[in-house]
């Protein structure tokens, strides 16, 4: 009944309600997040993370395009590629808890998902008190000088920008977590492993701020770049189909985790046909070997890319609340 009421509200309230939703929070305490409506925040808007052009711009620069994959009239399913202006979309909570989560949607490093692993998760978080931010990061196959480090550069910079502006967004600078899905999970794990690695030149005072997340969640993550374990598309675009063993190792977070990595939360489905569950297991083993706290949830069924949508009737539907409980136990919430 609750879902039906909310759908009727979407149908009757029109543009005014959609504009309100663009601001962030849904009804607090809702058990289930509605799929993103078509009127969700414009992916072309947002907070620039670089003061001018991002470093290492190719010539000619990528041309941004929005790919609409929606199949239902009121449910958005969009993706962006050709990102030459890395940026954050902010979702504020009407009852802030003083913490924030930076989201890295997936897309196989071919594109960045807008709705399913971005806006929907951001609204779910905002409904629970978190300031949430969706990062549209640059893609490594589009000619950037940083090559396979280009998304990591955006991830580091985004953390620093958010911490530098934390008072504006109503959260404590140290209480900034990260969450990544699929290839965004790779970025999330890579940031946890290499938050202090210099992958771009210092440009302003924000770059003195730590890029280490308070805690990190990797959801059905791409981790290893080793052929046979890696997601084929992500590996090809990140390091190349013929990458050397050294290049694979340099961009496999499980090979670079240190004792300074933040606590981790990992979710994967064992029937994931796109990103083998071995990716999650390798990351867990690396974290355990370094003495980094890690909580891992493996589900028998769920497939890949379930986000908040594809979990109905499956045990994997519990993962968001499991994360929330874990985040609370770390002191984030």
């Amino acid at each position: 009944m609750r879902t039906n009421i909310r759908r009727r509200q979407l149908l009757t309230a029109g543009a005014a309600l959609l504009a309100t939703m663009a601001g962030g929070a849904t009804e607090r305490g809702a058990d289930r997040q509605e799929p993103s409506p078509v009127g969700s925040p414009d992916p072309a808007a947002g907070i620039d993370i670089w003061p001018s052009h991002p470093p290492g711009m190719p010539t000619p620069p990528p041309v941004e395009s929005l790919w609409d994959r929606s199949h239902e009239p009121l449910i958005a399913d969009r993706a962006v590629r050709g990102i030459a202006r890395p940026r954050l979309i902010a979702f504020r909570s009407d009852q802030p808890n003083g913490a924030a989560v930076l989201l890295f949607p997936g897309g196989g490093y071919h594109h960045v998902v807008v709705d399913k692993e971005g806006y929907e998760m951001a609204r779910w978080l905002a409904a629970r008190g978190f300031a949430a931010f969706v990062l549209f990061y640059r893609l490594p196959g589009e000619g950037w000088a940083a090559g396979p480090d280009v998304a990591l550069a955006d991830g580091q910079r985004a953390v620093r920008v958010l911490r530098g502006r934390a008072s504006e967004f109503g959260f404590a600078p140290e209480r900034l977590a990260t969450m990544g899905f699929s290839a965004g999970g790779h970025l999330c794990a890579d940031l946890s492993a290499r938050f202090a690695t210099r992958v771009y030149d210092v440009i302003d005072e924000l770059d003195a701020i730590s890029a280490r997340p308070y805690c990190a969640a990797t959801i059905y993550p791409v981790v290893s770049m080793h052929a046979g374990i890696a997601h084929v598309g992500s590996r090809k675009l990140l390091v190349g189909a013929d990458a050397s063993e050294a290049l694979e190792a340099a961009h496999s977070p499980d090979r670079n985790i240190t004792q300074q990595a933040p606590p981790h939360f990992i979710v994967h489905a064992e029937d994931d046909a796109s990103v083998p569950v071995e990716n999650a297991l390798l990351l867990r083993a690396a974290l355990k070997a370094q003495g980094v706290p890690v909580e891992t949830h493996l589900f028998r069924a769920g497939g890949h890319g379930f986000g908040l949508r594809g979990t109905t009737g499956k045990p994997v539907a519990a993962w968001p609340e499991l994360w929330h409980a874990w985040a609370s136990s770390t002191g984030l919430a």
Side-chain angles (χ1 to χ4, degrees), residues 108-148:
Y109 284 127
H110 175 268
H111 55 267
V112 177
V113 170
V114 174
D115 299 291
K116 183 174 65 172
E117 296 163 350
Y119 292 3
E120 289 169 22
M121 195 69 220
R123 281 199 299 274
W124 187 94
L125 290 162
R128 287 153 180 80
F130 298 93
F133 303 87
V134 179
L135 177 64
F136 291 108
Y137 52 88
R138 290 172 291 163
L139 299 167
E142 296 185 338
W144 296 93

Side-chain angles (χ1 to χ4, degrees), residues 134-331:
V134 179
L135 177 64
F136 291 108
Y137 52 88
R138 290 172 291 163
L139 299 167
E142 296 185 338
W144 296 93
D149 284 328
V150 72
L152 176 61
D154 287 348
Q156 290 182 354
R157 179 70 184 180
V159 171
R160 291 168 174 144
V161 167
L162 289 174
R163 284 194 164 131
R165 298 177 62 176
S167 60
E168 176 185 340
F169 291 106
F171 69 91
E174 68 279 6
R175 291 170 63 197
L176 175 59
T178 52
M179 181 183 291
F181 301 79
S182 194
H186 178 274
L187 173 53
C188 185
D190 199 22
L191 176 64
S192 294
R194 298 197 293 150
F195 59 86
T197 302
R198 183 63 64 190
V199 292
Y200 65 90
D201 293 333
V202 172
I203 57 173
D204 58 27
E205 67 281 358
L206 293 176
D207 290 321
I209 297 173
S210 173
R212 180 186 182 272
Y214 182 89
C215 59
T218 55
I219 315 302
Y220 41 86
V222 174
V223 175
S224 177
M225 287 294 116
H226 182 71
I229 300 175
H231 175 246
V232 174
S234 297
R235 179 178 184 272
K236 180 179 179 180
L237 290 169
L238 190 72
V239 298
D242 299 318
S244 67
E245 184 177 348
L247 189 60
E248 289 178 352
H251 296 282
S252 296
D254 63 296
R255 305 284 293 275
N256 298 293
I257 289 291
T258 70
Q259 293 178 349
Q260 287 70 48
H264 270 60
F265 178 89
I266 303 172
V267 171
H268 218 110
E270 293 189 338
D271 65 346
D272 190 329
S274 297
V275 178
V277 71
E278 283 77 11
N279 284 265
L281 296 175
L282 285 170
L283 180 59
R284 178 186 182 276
L287 291 161
K288 296 286 284 186
Q290 293 295 332
V292 178
V294 56
E295 179 166 318
T296 308
H297 295 275
L298 303 180
F299 294 90
R300 179 182 59 81
H304 187 74
F306 42 80
L308 294 172
R309 293 184 188 180
T311 61
T312 303
K314 301 175 183 176
V316 73
W319 84 260
E321 293 299 347
L322 290 170
W323 172 85
H324 195 196
W326 171 83
S328 297
S329 76
T330 71

